[in-house]
Amino acid sequence: MSKKIVLAEDEPQIARLIEFKLKKEGYSVTWKENGEEALKAIKADKPDLILLDIMMPVMDGYEVLRRLKEDENLKSIPVVMLTARAQEKDVVKGIDMGAEDYITKPFHPAELLARVKRILGKPG
Amino acid sequence: MKNKSTKHISISEHLIWLGIGLAILYWILESAMDAFVFHEGTLTERMLGASPNESWMRAVIMSIIIIFAVYAQIGITRRKKVEEALRKQTHDMNQRVRELECLYGISGLVEKRHIPLQEILESAVDLVAFAWQYPEITCARIILRDEEFKTDSFRETAWKQAVDIVVHDEQIGTLEVCYLEERPESDEGPFLKQERSLIGAIAKQLAGVIDHKEVEAEITRVADDLRQIIENANAPIFGIDKKGLINEWNKKTVEITGFDKDEVMGKDLPKELINQDHRESVKKVLAMALKGEDTANYELTLFTNEGLRVIILLNATSRRDPANNIVGVIGIGQDITERKKIEQMKSDFVALASHELRTPLTSIQGYAELILDGDVGEISREQREFLEIISQNTRRLEALINDVLDVEKIESGRMTMKREKVDLSRIVDSCVKTFKIMAEGKGLQLEKDVKTSPMNVLGDSDRLSQVLSNLLSNAIKYTKEGRVKITARIKGEFASVAVEDTGLGMSPEDMKIVFSRFFRAEDSYVRKTTGSGLGLSIAKATIERHNGDIKVESKLGAGSKFEVVLPLFKEKEGAGQ
């Protein structure tokens, strides 16, 4: 059984890129294009890692993060934030709110994979 | 009074003759009485009793009558002299009183404020004429610069007194007094000695009045000018007293706030016009100004009568009375509401644009690297080369976006800097590691000379790393052959890091603008190199935010040396956000 990752990202092309890289490595990836959908999927799937974009429609990354950390069942799941470098302050905010790590866009797919691996170890 | 004294004189002149007349009359009467009335003895004997010598007795009585008359005459003459002296004294006194009244009247004219000088001088000439001993024939004239003030009767005659009116050693006019008719000379000439000194005193008094009034008029004029300037200044100007009550509110303030002067005068500024969120802060600024501490560039947030938000860049300064006591605060502002809006729009735009640019960039770079990494199968040498060009250019574009964002942050004052203990020598080490490949790729030597480690400064390690990277990257970029050397030293209270190259160098003109935005050296070689032209301006702003300095030494064709100087970390400063 491979390790499960929920990816919350509103840009389909970027989501596809991440999904491709992680799936190729052997992880199981569930992609959701807004915060609310992602939160539903997290509650249903109980993933091993969450990749969370900050600027998203319907519900933004912070709100998802806040709700996750309030939920006793979900608060231990590591979260990696995806941010644009424009929001430097936001990185600090994310880490303060309990995010495990962050990746700034644009990123190298290999670097993203390395960070995921650092947290999750081998995919399966 | 005059008639009475004349009568006295005539009686006293005849008194002695009256005495002698009486004595003779007595002799005749005695002789007649003795001859015809009394047969025994004489009148004298009857009055005084028997006496041995009739003739002697008569002589004694006659003498008594004459002595009495003489004595009476002497007494009267003396009284007449005293009266004469008294009369003269009274006259003199009256004269002095009139002179004093004149001087007093003139000085009194000054007391009446808001009376123009012209009116004062018109009244003064009348007062002057009245003070002379023959007021009915006295006329006076004051000539002040090219103006003339005179009594109705004024006519220039031969019996004239004139004196200069002098203010601050400068003759500004003349005072003249003339008699319209000739009068007997007293003292020397037609005028009394006192009158000659009086005219001098009056001229001095007038000089004082004129000076006072002219200064007063000047002050009024200046005050009016200032009031006009304040009222019509194209900047909001308002004042409060010590209690915070509004006492000044110019046109521009009315225009900006929508509140009329009548509406706000006497009202509590912080309480009535500042909303709760800003009230305490405004009170603090006003309290500081009331203590004599000026506040510059305070952003005052007000709400207009229509509830619109207005931001005023305010300079508050204390207002003092002539004794230098603080009596209030005067605020001079600048309406920066529009500017703030535009600044916000600009930074919003930059943030949005860079975010929007980042999304496609992420895709381009990500997919290019995915292919380069071999994730989608084998690629040919040319495919790899071209994909690398795509990748390189996305990185360049990313750097440009980051630089533009940094510049925007510097300009809007939103560039956040951490304040923590940073070891510069470690930053130098890591930068050298990063740039070694780039330098060697160009066949350049990258030398490092760090004598002291650690070399602590207070600041933001990412930002300082960005500065040193920029300097190293520039040095390598602009050097065709030779070496690039980075040196770190402690110089007194400062840490110094210098990056030296054997590259193109700069002309003195270029050195002046090297830290300005979008500076790019004018050289065909440089044209081929990449960069936003923002790096050095960001570096300068960053170092200045660290209370440091960045300098350049260079000669065209002989390389450049950039030196960053930062104050060394002192333990007691501590670290913190």
Side-chain angles (χ1 to χ4, degrees), chain B residues 210-275:
Chain B
I210 292 164
D211 187 31
H212 180 100
K213 274 290 161 186
E214 284 183 343
V215 168
E216 194 182 274
E218 180 67 11
I219 290 171
T220 312
R221 199 185 58 72
V222 170
D224 284 350
D225 277 0
L226 280 175
R227 186 136 299 283
Q228 283 290 315
I229 290 167
I230 290 172
E231 193 53 26
N232 297 307
N234 193 24
I237 300 175
F238 54 89
I240 57 159
D241 64 13
K242 276 173 92 169
K243 290 181 197 150
L245 306 180
I246 295 167
N247 57 11
E248 195 93 53
W249 198 257
N250 78 342
K251 258 189 220 163
K252 190 74 186 176
T253 317
V254 173
E255 190 186 303
I256 290 171
T257 62
F259 290 107
D260 274 342
K261 194 171 178 174
D262 305 343
E263 278 181 84
V264 297
M265 286 297 269
K267 284 199 176 159
D268 189 314
L269 176 76
K271 207 165 128 194
E272 309 264 345
L273 290 169
I274 310 292
N275 91 335

Side-chain angles (χ1 to χ4, degrees), chain A residues 13 17 21 24 85 108, chain B residues 358-359 367 369 375 402:
Chain A
Q13 289 172 346
L17 175 73
K21 187 79 184 177
K24 191 161 188 301
R85 191 189 164 240
H108 302 271
Chain B
R358 232 175 260 279
T359 305
Y367 284 103
E369 286 195 14
D375 285 343
N402 291 340

Side-chain angles (χ1 to χ4, degrees), chain B residues 81-368:
Chain B
K81 270 187 186 161
V82 169
E83 272 176 0
E84 175 65 16
L86 197 66
R87 191 192 59 81
K88 193 174 178 303
Q89 233 170 31
T90 313
H91 177 256
D92 280 0
M93 274 288 260
N94 284 336
Q95 193 61 30
R96 294 294 88 73
V97 166
R98 269 156 64 196
E99 288 167 3
L100 275 174
E101 269 172 358
C102 171
L103 289 172
Y104 182 72
I106 290 169
S107 68
L109 290 171
V110 192
E111 310 278 305
K112 292 178 191 159
R113 290 176 150 252
H114 313 302
I115 291 187
L117 180 61
Q118 281 69 17
E119 215 171 287
I120 288 181
L121 296 181
E122 272 160 22
S123 311
V125 284
D126 291 333
L127 285 167
V128 168
F130 187 71
W132 262 248
Q133 63 171 330
Y134 310 114
E136 61 281 0
I137 58 147
T138 309
C139 59
R141 172 166 76 170
I142 295 165
I143 298 169
L144 173 64
R145 300 200 175 95
D146 44 9
E147 281 179 285
E148 196 184 57
F149 309 91
K150 52 189 184 184
T151 52
D152 296 339
S153 58
F154 184 83
R155 180 157 52 83
E156 227 177 323
T157 63
W159 313 286
K160 174 180 157 186
Q161 265 182 300
V163 67
D164 290 344
I165 300 171
V166 178
V167 170
H168 303 305
D169 296 332
E170 186 200 345
Q171 195 227 322
I172 55 161
T174 325
L175 169 65
E176 296 164 351
V177 176
C178 296
Y179 280 160
L180 297 168
E181 294 164 21
E182 190 168 8
R183 276 290 179 270
E185 296 204 354
S186 52
D187 296 331
E188 304 136 33
F191 297 99
L192 294 172
K193 202 169 73 194
Q194 285 88 344
E195 285 170 341
R196 284 196 297 275
S197 53
L198 175 65
I199 193 169
I202 293 172
K204 265 189 196 143
Q205 185 91 1
L206 283 173
V209 171
I210 292 164
D211 187 31
H212 180 100
K213 274 290 161 186
E214 284 183 343
V215 168
E216 194 182 274
E218 180 67 11
I219 290 171
T220 312
R221 199 185 58 72
V222 170
D224 284 350
D225 277 0
L226 280 175
R227 186 136 299 283
Q228 283 290 315
I229 290 167
I230 290 172
E231 193 53 26
N232 297 307
N234 193 24
I237 300 175
F238 54 89
I240 57 159
D241 64 13
K242 276 173 92 169
K243 290 181 197 150
L245 306 180
I246 295 167
N247 57 11
E248 195 93 53
W249 198 257
N250 78 342
K251 258 189 220 163
K252 190 74 186 176
T253 317
V254 173
E255 190 186 303
I256 290 171
T257 62
F259 290 107
D260 274 342
K261 194 171 178 174
D262 305 343
E263 278 181 84
V264 297
M265 286 297 269
K267 284 199 176 159
D268 189 314
L269 176 76
K271 207 165 128 194
E272 309 264 345
L273 290 169
I274 310 292
N275 91 335
Q276 217 170 350
D277 300 346
H278 302 94
R279 197 170 297 152
E280 284 313 308
S281 151
V282 171
K283 275 186 179 172
K284 229 161 102 184
V285 167
L286 296 180
M288 262 172 67
L290 277 173
K291 269 191 241 153
E293 292 168 47
D294 291 355
T295 311
N297 299 332
Y298 172 77
E299 284 185 14
L300 176 73
T301 308
L302 286 171
F303 286 85
T304 66
N305 61 342
E306 287 169 350
L308 298 172
R309 206 159 99 118
V310 178
I311 302 166
I312 292 170
L313 195 66
L314 185 73
N315 286 11
T317 181
S318 57
R319 235 179 166 180
R320 289 164 194 270
D321 67 8
N324 211 29
N325 298 313
I326 294 174
V327 292
V329 175
I330 190 108
I332 303 173
Q334 187 189 352
D335 184 0
I336 55 163
T337 316
E338 277 305 303
R339 199 177 89 193
K340 283 290 225 190
K341 254 185 228 161
I342 291 165
E343 273 173 13
Q344 187 60 44
M345 273 166 64
K346 191 187 91 184
S347 73
D348 285 354
F349 172 77
V350 171
L352 186 76
S354 59
H355 182 262
E356 291 307 308
L357 285 169
R358 232 175 260 279
T359 305
L361 210 56
T362 307
S363 283
I364 299 169
Q365 185 178 320
Y367 284 103

